[in-house]
Amino acid sequence: MTHATPEALADTPSPRRFIAHLDMDAFYASVELLRYPELRGLPVVIGGGRRHQPEPQPDGTRRFATLRDYAGRGVITTATYPARALGVHSGMGLMKAAALAPEAVLLPVDFDRYRHFSRLFKQAVLAIAPVMEDRGIDEIYLDLTDVPGAQDTVDGDPLGGVRAVAQRLKQAVHEATGLTCSVGVTPNKLLSKICSDLDKPDGLTLLMPEAIPARIWPLPASRINGIGPKASDKLARLGVHTIGELAAAEPAWLVDHFGATYGAWLHAAAHGQDDRPVVTWREPKSLSRETTFERDLDPRQDRAMLTPLFTRLCEQVAADLERKGYRGRTVAVKLRYADFHIVTRSISLPEPTRDAQVIRLWAGRALKTAPLDQRLRLLGVRIDRLVTEADAAAAEAAPLPTSLPLFPSEP
């Protein structure tokens, strides 16, 4: 048996860092197209209510609602790429979208179905790349550095190995869900987030630091995750519009205008610098469900409609707790009134729970402490102070002390 000498080990190059950002393509809309394949290639908007369910016809076809017939104040959750080409996008009011794309098909949201497909694609990815950071229902970060084959050179291409791994990820997602995704692979999370959006849909973008000036610097500064509307507007007023212009700015000038911490981060981000790790687990602080009504509801006159909706929210929160393995100690309700004013009320439980009936009981008590003299736009239920099932069980099993010392110094 031979052993590597310390000198040889020192000469061994460290593995290149490969971080992937995987983003599902128009996720909600794509899930709906699996259910309604006749809508492929058409402008489709997701964001309607139950009244916008497709209606089966006697000849076996389905009749779909369109934006032309919409009246209300809902907003778009997502849209297919043909709809986006007409100028509609997520967050846009449906009435405004109707003016731009009156013939676009309108479908209701179905979050239970979207969560199901979210679990499917994440399970498929974990079988290949187990170091995953969950960033929401339709996007994840993956550390591919130590995935077998990622460091290989293939046919003279030093990125051939990681390219093959990324293609396997895309194939696994498609086989598990029938959906496509776009993947960016770079040395860090900041660049990968940008790159996953460069070649959508069904894209794969690999980028190393030497390509930053050509591919990243021409992009708008707002494409950096962390530069929001306010910072973007301020940069524009200062004459900085692209990432390249931001990279050319003097660090001291950025600090003068944006403060020491954010100014230094802007300089580093524009140069593609980011050392954040892929975090495989974050303890959630709370779980919540809420619903926005298609019309303002009166707390008293519309009680027959509000009561089952409120109960359903509590049941959904309880189901989320059970699926994630938590119980909660505080129940809160959220109300948004017709004038957009928001009120929350919370109440602490005697012991942590995940039981839907218990959550409904205490949420109802919290609701009674909120003003109910205005019409409501939104109703939500949240549970805070989460504890794991294991911690809750251990607390229940722990024997009570037979006596307590009077002073801390007593044994």
Side-chain angles (χ1 to χ4, degrees):
M1 178 181 295
T2 59
H3 299 276
T5 64
E7 293 79 8
L9 290 173
D11 293 337
T12 302
S14 58
R16 291 167 296 176
R17 187 171 188 244
F18 293 129
I19 305 299
H21 181 257
L22 187 153
D23 189 24
M24 300 299 291
D25 296 324
F27 183 52
Y28 298 170
S30 298
V31 170
E32 294 295 347
L33 292 181
L34 291 178
R35 179 156 46 184
Y36 308 118
E38 64 267 40
L39 297 179
R40 291 189 182 279
L42 300 178
V44 178
V45 167
I46 312 299
R50 293 175 181 170
R51 71 178 188 273
H52 301 111
Q53 288 283 0
E55 299 176 2
Q57 302 298 298
D59 61 358
T61 62
R62 286 177 280 237
R63 180 181 179 275
F64 296 94
T66 65
L67 285 179
R68 181 185 300 279
D69 305 318
Y70 181 81
R73 55 152 190 269
V75 298
I76 296 175
T77 302
T78 192
T80 60
Y81 290 101
R84 296 180 191 187
L86 298 175
V88 304
H89 54 78
S90 60
M92 176 183 285
L94 286 170
M95 291 295 288
K96 182 177 179 179
L100 295 171
E103 300 305 321
V105 172
L106 177 62
L107 294 175
V109 294
D110 186 348
F111 286 110
D112 289 338
R113 182 173 172 84
Y114 308 149
R115 278 187 285 269
H116 169 71
F117 277 86
S118 178
R119 290 191 291 270
L120 288 180
F121 94 76
K122 290 169 185 175
Q123 290 168 0
V125 163
L126 283 171
I128 299 171
V131 182
M132 181 186 84
E133 179 175 333
D134 194 333
R135 296 302 300 171
I137 196 169
D138 63 348
E139 63 173 315
I140 54 177
Y141 287 105
L142 299 161
D143 192 333
L144 307 183
T145 304
D146 297 319
V147 172
Q151 299 291 333
D152 294 350
T153 297
V154 179
D155 296 331
D157 179 6
L159 299 179
V162 73
R163 192 187 308 275
V165 171
Q167 290 286 8
R168 284 171 52 207
L169 292 170
K170 287 169 58 64
Q171 181 179 353
V173 168
H174 188 265
E175 291 176 352
T177 64
L179 304 173
T180 64
C181 63
S182 293
V183 179
V185 181
T186 77
N188 60 56
K189 292 163 71 172
L190 182 142
L191 289 172
S192 295
K193 173 77 170 178
I194 295 174
C195 286
S196 65
D197 196 47
L198 290 181
D199 297 306
K200 274 185 168 291
D202 199 19
L204 172 56
T205 303
L206 276 69
L207 182 138
M208 293 297 108
E210 58 270 18
I212 290 175
R215 293 221 64 185
I216 302 300
W217 282 357
L219 300 173
S222 59
R223 292 289 286 273
I224 295 177
N225 189 34
I227 298 181
K230 291 183 178 179
S232 183
D233 289 345
K234 185 174 180 178
L235 285 168
R237 291 195 300 271
L238 294 170
V240 176
H241 303 278
T242 67
I243 298 176
E245 291 170 344
L246 181 60
E250 289 292 333
W253 181 82
L254 290 171
V255 169
D256 286 343
H257 287 283
F258 293 93
T261 301
Y262 193 61
W265 177 83
L266 285 172
H267 177 76
H271 287 84
Q273 299 169 8
D274 178 25
D275 59 1
R276 292 173 298 158
V278 172
V279 180
T280 57
W281 176 250
R282 281 188 177 91
E283 288 284 356
K285 297 180 179 179
S286 65
L287 293 172
S288 64
R289 291 296 189 102
E290 59 185 41
T291 184
T292 300
F293 309 128
E294 296 180 15
R295 63 175 179 85
D296 294 341
L297 298 180
D298 185 275
R300 292 174 177 81
Q301 296 178 8
D302 295 311
R303 180 172 295 183
M305 183 182 299
L306 284 167
T307 298
L309 287 172
F310 189 54
T311 299
R312 177 60 176 158
L313 291 172
C314 295
E315 292 170 346
Q316 290 173 332
V317 168
D320 291 341
L321 287 168
E322 182 173 3
R323 187 176 68 255
K324 295 177 181 293
Y326 285 93
R327 301 184 196 180
R329 296 178 180 273
T330 301
V331 171
V333 295
K334 172 183 174 182
L335 299 92
R336 179 182 291 143
Y337 299 103
D339 62 359
F340 288 89
H341 179 61
I342 295 176
V343 165
T344 60
R345 292 291 186 268
S346 62
I347 190 166
S348 295
L349 280 60
E351 58 186 24
T353 187
R354 68 177 187 188
D355 184 271
Q357 292 184 344
V358 174
I359 294 172
R360 175 64 175 83
L361 171 66
W362 289 91
R365 292 178 178 177
L367 184 63
K368 290 179 180 178
T369 67
L372 297 175
D373 54 354
Q374 299 183 53
R375 298 179 73 85
L376 302 174
R377 293 177 60 92
L378 175 147
L379 182 63
V381 176
R382 186 183 74 245
I383 190 155
D384 300 318
R385 297 173 61 200
L386 303 184
V387 296
T388 65
E389 281 289 341
D391 288 343
E396 291 175 354
L400 294 173
T402 55
S403 63
L404 293 174
L406 181 61
F407 299 106
S409 59
E410 289 185 12

